[in-house]
Amino acid sequence: MNSPSLLSDLGLGDLPSEDQALIAERITEAILKRVTAEFLNELSADDLEELEGFSLGATPDEIEDFFRSRFPDHDARIEKVVAEFKEEMGSHLADLENN
Amino acid sequence: MERFFNSPSQENPPEKSVEENNSEEHKESAVPRALDLSLHNKSSSPERFREEKKLESRGRDLYEDAKYQNFKNITDYEGLAGFEPYKHLLEGSEEEMTPDDFINIGLHEKFLKEKKKEQEGANAPQVELGSSSVEPDREVPQSDDSAKEGSVTPGEFEVPENVAASIYATDLYREAMRRQDKKERKASKTKEEPELVYVGKNNDSIEVIEETIDLNSAREDFARSELSLAREGLKGKRIEDVARAEEAAYTEHVYRSALKKERQDLVAGLGEVEDRERRIKEALLKTTALEAVNLFDKKTEIIAKEREGGFSESIVKKVQAAERWYRSLRPRNKILIAGGLLAAGGAGAALGGVIGASMVGAALTGKTIQRVFAGAGIGVALEQAMKSAQESKERRAIERAFGREGGEKIIEIFENSSSALDEALLRIESKQGRHKVQRYVLAATGGGLLASGVAASAFEYVSENTSGFVESIRERLGLSEPPQEGFSSLPGPDLARSEIVLPGSEVVPSPEFYVVEPGDTMYAVLEKSFPEVTALEGQAQANAIENILAVIKESPTEFGIQSGDVNILSVGDKIDLEKINEVLENERIGDRSIAEHAKSFLEDDVVAEPSVVERVDIYRDLEDQLSLDADTPQIERGESYVENIPPAETAEELREFFRQTPGYLTRTVALEEFMEMIERGSVDAEMFRSFEESVVGSDHNLSPDRYQYEFDVIRQGEGVYGLDEVARVERELGSAFDRLWAGPGPEDFVSKESLETDSTITETETITEFDPEAIHSKLDNIFSEANAQVDSYVEKGEGYSIEGRINDYDKLESSFNSFIDLIKEGALSAEYFAEYVSESGVTGARATASYYDRAFELIRDPSSYQFSLREVGVAHQTMKTLFQAMWLERSR
């Protein structure tokens, strides 16, 4: 069974498919949360208040536009989080190899 | 405590508290408060948001303010002797003090300093302050306002600005919390690290650590350390500060040791199993990967909490909401996002749209899905991942259809399935009028994805074992190659389940009938038996199924439902698929078939033709639909109260409005997810019971169709788990609701009678024109009683604060989020409910909206404790009108 490349790259491609699906979901959830936390944490107080003000009635696209306008390097930031995760996961798996 | 506030008012009235001012602001509003706030809530500007935040902030400040007031009033009327009860706070050691103690001491010091200034300024005789053991150099944050309070006449203690006092108290509290946190961390380390040693110094001690450390706390310490190092650019680099380096190394060692211990336990727990080495490797890999996620999560938690300025709570909540949103998605969408994110490249673009959706709890729309696909440049890998998730479901379905042994054989075939057959089946699937062929295949597989190899191979297998049939089908599929070798040796399917004779005179598993098995529901039968239904998503699929069910329920026995009730299937019932197919092909909604009609309910267009109205019309005969058994109290029936809702001016405009009320949609999506989970067998009885209670105890968001739908789910679930609890649960919860009203009496609240009177119903039902001002006016009348009560409870809440009844005030605060839990436990008294309502005046729109939800939630038929659909319909009409009024108001 093939799997998304990150899992294969990390050497998890041979795990049973159900385990791979579980890990992929947990990773996605963790990255989604991290990206959300980092974006929000770096917004100015005014921006945070503005976001609070309109997010209840906003569409997903409006939210995304908001973040993209505040973070011109929006995509790169997300990819950086993914890269950080990959590095950390690699470190854990290396630790497993060594112990 | 009351005396401290009654007395001053006679001689020297205290300044108005913040809450009193707040209350007056509320009272000035001509529009009912709840309505006013809710109407503006979704369109609130940053200015309005800031205004509301300030109100909330002032509410929180009450806690500190009340304490200060107490100190002041104590000494006003009892002199310094009044402080005797507090002296012990000043005499204890700092280590033993709680944050509250620090606050009390700080406030005490502030008071004494102010008093001293007052006396000095008036050249008055010295007040004996010696009884205080305040340390002169103690670091206590000072209020900026102290200087300007120096010219107070003796005996007339000017009450300092409440806000300044609150800020002062907040500073104190922050400092106190910092000390407390430091103390607790120190104590925690002392407890968990009996011998602090570093790697290599003492191996025996290391073992001690491994036995005593807790992975959770070790993970948290390590996460903090890693984050700190990363921010200082020290991660992975040489740390010059020796102490810092040692601390970091130690923290990592503790964490790694805890992990090592965890792994050892894991391996030991596996015992002697077949293929042990592989199992160990897989288990270690899996747990290590998941631990990496846990550590990453812990860092995220720290990041989310560290924002200052009062924003951390909001950020933490949004992060948690993102987690809940992702978990609530359909498995397919979860995997889709995972695939988009984890595949090489394009992750930023892929996740961008997802963050927006998660932030507002929106359903995953086609647009976002397309973005995930397009952004990530995924392909085979994702498709395979999705297929993997589907396999588990299919595997169980196949085993049900063919027995375990036959199922295993077919699953083996799956691994080598014929892609040519897959493609042929897909071609057929896209053609109209070939339902029979599709159903043959689906019946053979027990209901799986046509595109998967399972369906194709299973079909071949069945064909091979039913000679004569195969040629006919092969011809129809346009296949020419012979069957793969080996099929003929497979064991036969369980033909006894249902048999019919097809042209060719061969006995095959029934394509015309579906034989009901334990756990089956009509929803599931329709979903897996008709690809045109399976292919629909979300609301669209639900709409199609509901419309089919609406026809079936007119004569359930003709469709093979022996109970005569679409909600009650019996094992062995033979559901006539052919007859249902006729419904699909011939039944018309307008000029479209059921499936065509349902396609307009694709997630992006879900509100173009509100399903609520349509469904209520269809399900007007509630008695039949709910199909209650003899022991279940009958639900009140009546004509539909929602069918006269006028259409929106344009579908597009209304759709745009509803897009902005995502909560309306997501719950239905969640229910669909839950149904899927039940079908997959991934819901245990305990989880189901919990769900059942939450559903029955919920407000159903004023939607009759949702109520009906939830009941469908519950009844299906009860069938699966062999339960018959729904009537009992509803009765008990109904009793709990009634107990709520039993105390002060309905007249003390927004009485259910007031919502049920003829005049109210008439008023709500005659609101058919979109005149916002008239709607405001009429609803103002309807809810005037409610507003009057809210005002009275606001005053009660203020009273708690002013009187220093901190525990009661705290109870109000905590009751907001635990209201439903308390109801479930039967622990929510009428008095408590009153307190809860009072909070709605303190915390603004959020609580007010909730208040109305709860008021509507209490709409029940007291004779049976069942929800009254009639009343829910009325309430729904009201809300619908409100929504449309809001929409119109905003569009101006």
Side-chain angles (χ1 to χ4, degrees):
Chain A
M1 176 63 63
N2 294 330
S3 60
S5 62
L6 177 58
L7 297 187
S8 300
D9 292 349
L10 290 170
L12 301 172
D14 292 333
L15 282 176
S17 59
E18 287 191 8
D19 287 345
Q20 285 190 51
L22 170 69
I23 292 168
E25 284 183 21
R26 289 291 313 279
I27 291 175
T28 307
E29 185 181 301
I31 291 175
L32 176 62
K33 286 158 58 183
R34 173 66 65 85
V35 171
T36 304
E38 290 202 348
F39 276 165
L40 293 175
N41 222 9
E42 291 186 34
L43 284 176
S44 68
D46 285 346
D47 281 343
L48 273 172
E49 288 183 350
E50 184 180 340
L51 180 66
E52 285 282 358
F54 84 85
S55 64
L56 275 177
T59 65
D61 283 347
E62 286 170 344
I63 298 283
E64 187 184 354
D65 289 345
F66 175 87
F67 281 123
R68 285 188 184 281
S69 68
R70 267 58 174 185
F71 301 107
D73 56 346
H74 173 277
D75 289 358
R77 280 171 178 262
I78 294 176
E79 280 156 25
K80 181 168 172 280
V81 170
V82 175
E84 282 174 6
F85 178 83
K86 192 172 177 179
E87 183 185 334
E88 287 193 20
M89 176 73 91
S91 166
H92 272 77
L93 294 170
D95 178 60
L96 178 65
E97 284 287 318
N98 298 332
N99 291 282
Chain B
M1 300 293 275
E2 191 175 328
R3 61 201 161 108
F4 297 133
F5 287 87
N6 290 337
S7 301
S9 64
Q10 298 162 3
E11 299 173 9
N12 185 24
E15 291 185 357
K16 285 175 183 171
S17 73
V18 176
E19 281 57 47
E20 285 168 327
N21 291 327
N22 186 12
S23 174
E24 289 189 358
E25 286 171 16
H26 278 305
K27 287 172 183 170
E28 287 168 3
S29 171
V31 178
R33 181 182 320 139
L35 181 60
D36 184 35
L37 291 169
S38 62
L39 279 174
H40 291 86
N41 185 32
K42 294 186 187 307
S43 60
S44 62
S45 63
E47 290 72 26
R48 183 172 181 82
F49 172 75
R50 273 194 286 273
E51 200 173 292
E52 289 178 5
K53 293 294 282 186
K54 280 179 189 170
L55 286 175
E56 288 193 12
S57 173
R58 281 191 283 180
R60 284 196 298 273
D61 288 343
L62 276 175
Y63 180 88
E64 316 300 350
D65 190 42
K67 278 181 180 291
Y68 185 87
Q69 291 281 11
N70 279 343
F71 275 108
K72 174 160 177 46
N73 285 293
I74 288 168
T75 48
D76 267 357
Y77 295 95
E78 296 189 12
L80 291 179
F83 269 116
E84 284 301 318
Y86 300 93
K87 279 185 68 178
H88 72 282
L89 297 176
L90 305 175
E91 292 164 356
S93 74
E94 191 172 294
E95 288 295 311
E96 294 169 352
M97 291 182 188
T98 67
D100 276 0
D101 292 339
F102 278 105
I103 289 174
N104 286 328
I105 290 170
L107 290 168
H108 176 245
E109 288 172 349
K110 178 177 170 61
F111 170 78
L112 292 179
K113 284 177 183 174
E114 286 175 353
K115 186 161 183 170
K116 186 177 180 182
K117 280 182 185 176
E118 290 164 4
Q119 292 169 334
E120 287 172 353
N123 199 21
Q126 281 295 106
V127 173
E128 179 55 56
L129 300 177
S131 59
S132 166
S133 61
V134 177
E135 298 165 25
D137 57 349
R138 181 193 292 276
E139 289 183 10
V140 177
Q142 297 300 307
S143 168
D144 291 339
D145 66 329
S146 57
K148 62 185 178 186
E149 294 168 3
S151 58
V152 179
T153 305
E156 294 180 10
F157 302 137
E158 182 181 337
V159 178
E161 289 288 336
N162 288 331
V163 173
S166 297
I167 293 171
Y168 176 77
T170 303
D171 285 344
L172 281 171
Y173 196 79
R174 187 177 294 128
E175 171 66 12
M177 288 304 294
R178 190 186 66 75
R179 294 187 192 199
Q180 178 82 352
D181 185 49
K182 188 175 174 184
K183 192 169 71 179
E184 285 176 357
R185 286 175 63 79
K186 188 175 174 183
S188 171
K189 286 198 171 185
T190 304
K191 180 184 174 185
E192 293 172 359
E193 298 161 17
E195 296 179 57
L196 299 182
V197 293
Y198 297 105
V199 185
K201 283 188 178 178
N202 182 333
N203 285 335
D204 293 339
S205 298
I206 290 173
E207 290 306 314
V208 170
I209 290 172
E210 290 174 355
E211 287 298 329
T212 55
I213 52 176
D214 169 67
L215 178 57
N216 288 329
S217 61
R219 183 189 300 128
E220 180 166 353
D221 286 345
F222 183 56
R224 288 185 188 282
S225 171
E226 285 261 288
L227 270 180
S228 172
L229 291 176
R231 285 169 178 173
E232 294 173 48
L234 295 174
K235 191 175 176 184
K237 295 181 180 173
R238 178 184 174 81
I239 304 171
E240 297 298 335
D241 181 338
V242 176
R244 180 78 190 281
E246 283 192 343
E247 186 180 351
Y250 174 71
T251 305
E252 180 168 357
H253 166 70
V254 172
Y255 174 63
R256 301 280 180 209
S257 299
L259 274 183
K260 185 177 176 184
K261 178 73 170 50
E262 194 88 349
R263 289 172 186 154
Q264 288 170 346
D265 291 346
L266 175 71
V267 172
L270 280 176
E272 293 302 323
V273 293
E274 192 179 339
D275 201 5
R276 189 169 190 271
E277 193 173 337
R278 180 184 62 79
R279 294 277 299 277
I280 288 174
K281 185 183 173 188
E282 286 180 357
L284 288 175
L285 267 177
K286 179 181 173 183
T287 52
T288 301
L290 293 176
E291 175 55 30
V293 175
N294 288 338
L295 180 63
F296 198 75
D297 265 349
K298 181 52 72 178
K299 290 178 185 175
T300 301
E301 187 182 315
I302 295 167
I303 291 169
K305 285 180 180 172
E306 64 190 1
R307 179 65 180 262
E308 294 181 350
F311 290 108
S312 64
E313 186 183 354
S314 167
I315 293 174
V316 168
K317 282 182 179 174
K318 281 189 166 54
V319 170
Q320 290 169 343
E323 178 183 81
R324 285 196 301 275
W325 174 84
Y326 181 74
R327 289 181 179 177
S328 73
L329 295 177
R330 291 166 172 273
R332 195 191 66 177
N333 286 343
K334 276 186 193 170
I335 292 171
L336 186 151
I337 295 172
L341 186 65
L342 305 184
L351 202 58
V354 172
I355 291 172
S358 72
M359 196 75 78
V360 294
L364 202 60
T365 63
K367 193 182 293 183
T368 303
I369 290 171
Q370 284 168 14
R371 188 185 350 239
V372 173
F373 268 116
I378 47 182
V380 175
L382 171 60
E383 189 180 341
Q384 292 295 333
M386 293 171 68
K387 208 169 175 180
S388 168
Q390 184 66 24
E391 273 176 29
S392 298
K393 188 175 179 181
E394 289 187 352
R395 190 176 291 264
R396 282 189 284 274
I398 292 164
E399 287 181 359
R400 277 204 303 272
F402 295 96
R404 181 171 295 278
E405 191 180 355
E408 286 176 359
K409 290 290 183 187
I410 290 175
I411 289 163
E412 279 180 29
I413 297 170
F414 165 74
E415 301 297 337
N416 301 306
S417 68
S418 159
S419 58
L421 187 55
D422 278 350
E423 290 169 9
L425 288 166
L426 280 172
R427 282 201 303 275
I428 292 171
E429 187 189 29
S430 65
K431 295 178 183 174
Q432 295 295 319
R434 304 294 296 274
H435 303 302
K436 187 176 289 186
V437 175
Q438 293 170 40
R439 287 202 310 281
Y440 288 2
V441 178
L442 286 168
T445 62
L449 268 188
L450 277 172
S452 79
V454 176
S457 300
F459 166 69
E460 288 208 30
Y461 163 66
V462 173
S463 303
E464 183 66 11
N465 284 274
T466 53
S467 60
F469 179 58
V470 63
E471 293 307 322
S472 168
I473 299 300
R474 278 193 171 283
E475 187 179 335
R476 295 170 76 169
L477 292 177
L479 297 174
S480 56
E481 68 267 31
Q484 294 177 24
E485 289 182 5
F487 288 171
S488 59
S489 63
L490 296 174
D494 178 11
L495 301 182
R497 291 191 319 120
S498 174
E499 299 175 357
I500 65 166
V501 178
L502 287 178
S505 301
E506 301 299 334
V507 176
V508 298
S510 168
E512 308 290 352
F513 295 91
Y514 179 93
V515 182
V516 173
E517 295 183 337
D520 276 336
T521 66
M522 273 311 293
Y523 255 87
V525 170
L526 292 171
E527 190 182 6
K528 63 189 174 187
S529 299
F530 295 93
E532 54 271 63
V533 172
T534 310
L536 297 170
E537 289 193 0
Q539 283 273 340
Q541 189 182 85
N543 177 267
I545 291 176
E546 288 161 7
N547 281 318
I548 297 169
L549 286 175
V551 177
I552 296 175
K553 68 117 182 171
E554 291 171 2
S555 52
T557 52
E558 290 182 17
F559 289 85
I561 301 171
Q562 296 307 311
S563 68
D565 184 332
V566 291
N567 293 308
I568 302 175
L569 301 183
S570 305
V571 174
D573 275 357
K574 293 181 180 178
I575 308 300
D576 190 338
L577 299 179
E578 185 59 36
K579 195 168 177 61
I580 296 174
N581 190 49
E582 287 171 10
V583 172
L584 262 171
E585 291 184 341
N586 302 327
E587 191 72 18
R588 285 287 180 273
I589 300 175
D591 59 352
R592 293 180 293 190
S593 71
I594 286 177
E596 286 168 348
H597 175 74
K599 283 175 185 171
S600 66
F601 285 78
L602 287 173
E603 284 170 309
D604 265 347
D605 301 328
V606 65
V607 295
E609 301 171 57
S611 59
V612 171
V613 177
E614 177 189 48
R615 185 156 188 214
V616 170
D617 285 344
I618 293 171
Y619 278 78
R620 195 175 302 166
D621 186 353
L622 296 168
E623 184 178 28
D624 287 344
Q625 277 306 289
L626 289 174
S627 65
L628 303 173
D629 58 40
D631 298 329
T632 307
Q634 295 295 296
I635 287 181
E636 183 181 348
R637 300 185 303 281
E639 59 182 304
S640 169
Y641 279 80
V642 297
E643 63 189 30
N644 294 324
I645 294 172
E649 288 184 354
T650 71
E652 176 57 36
E653 286 171 318
L654 190 57
R655 180 163 65 242
E656 183 57 34
F657 171 74
F658 271 87
R659 274 201 186 117
Q660 297 176 25
T661 57
Y664 183 82
L665 306 177
T666 49
R667 184 157 175 181
T668 302
V669 173
L671 277 167
E672 290 171 357
E673 287 283 328
F674 197 78
M675 287 183 72
E676 282 189 13
M677 289 169 68
I678 290 175
E679 289 170 15
R680 288 202 304 272
S682 55
V683 175
D684 61 23
E686 187 179 352
M687 191 188 300
F688 174 76
R689 276 196 295 271
S690 171
F691 166 81
E692 183 176 51
E693 296 215 357
S694 72
V695 167
V696 178
S698 74
D699 56 19
H700 299 88
N701 208 16
L702 313 178
S703 168
D705 74 323
R706 181 169 295 155
Y707 175 75
Q708 179 68 60
Y709 185 35
E710 290 174 348
F711 242 83
D712 288 346
V713 177
I714 285 176
R715 290 196 168 280
Q716 290 163 21
E718 292 211 329
V720 172
Y721 303 109
L723 301 171
D724 187 14
E725 296 283 294
V726 64
R728 177 192 63 77
V729 169
E730 192 161 21
R731 272 196 299 273
E732 288 179 0
L733 289 172
S735 299
F737 273 110
D738 269 17
R739 285 199 296 277
L740 282 177
W741 298 100
E747 68 280 4
D748 292 334
F749 306 99
V750 188
S751 70
K752 55 182 176 180
E753 284 76 9
S754 75
L755 290 169
E756 290 175 348
T757 57
D758 290 341
S759 62
T760 304
I761 293 171
T762 303
E763 287 217 66
T764 55
E765 293 214 302
T766 55
I767 301 173
T768 55
E769 293 181 2
F770 295 133
D771 179 348
E773 285 187 18
I775 290 170
H776 273 234
S777 171
K778 288 181 179 179
L779 289 171
D780 191 11
N781 291 335
I782 291 171
F783 293 114
S784 59
E785 185 183 349
N787 282 343
Q789 291 303 325
V790 169
D791 284 339
S792 74
Y793 295 123
V794 169
E795 287 171 11
K796 185 175 182 180
E798 289 169 2
Y800 285 164
S801 302
I802 293 170
E803 292 165 16
R805 292 168 63 181
I806 303 304
N807 288 338
D808 289 333
Y809 184 81
D810 285 347
K811 204 158 64 170
L812 280 180
E813 183 74 25
S814 63
S815 72
F816 179 76
N817 293 323
S818 59
F819 184 77
I820 287 294
D821 290 340
L822 291 167
I823 289 175
K824 288 180 190 167
E825 294 164 10
L828 186 62
S829 67
E831 186 178 355
Y832 204 103
F833 177 68
E835 293 172 355
Y836 165 78
V837 171
S838 76
E839 197 208 12
S840 69
V842 175
T843 56
R846 187 176 56 129
T848 308
S850 178
Y851 160 69
Y852 274 97
D853 282 350
R854 303 304 165 242
F856 284 125
E857 189 175 352
L858 297 173
I859 300 168
R860 285 170 174 263
D861 176 355
S863 64
S864 65
Y865 302 126
Q866 298 279 354
F867 276 98
S868 160
L869 290 192
R870 177 170 173 272
E871 300 304 339
V872 173
V874 171
H876 176 75
Q877 166 108 352
T878 306
M879 291 299 287
K880 183 94 176 176
T881 309
L882 265 175
F883 278 158
Q884 295 189 338
M886 289 163 63
W887 162 65
L888 269 187
E889 192 172 69
R890 293 185 59 189
S891 66
R892 289 185 170 181

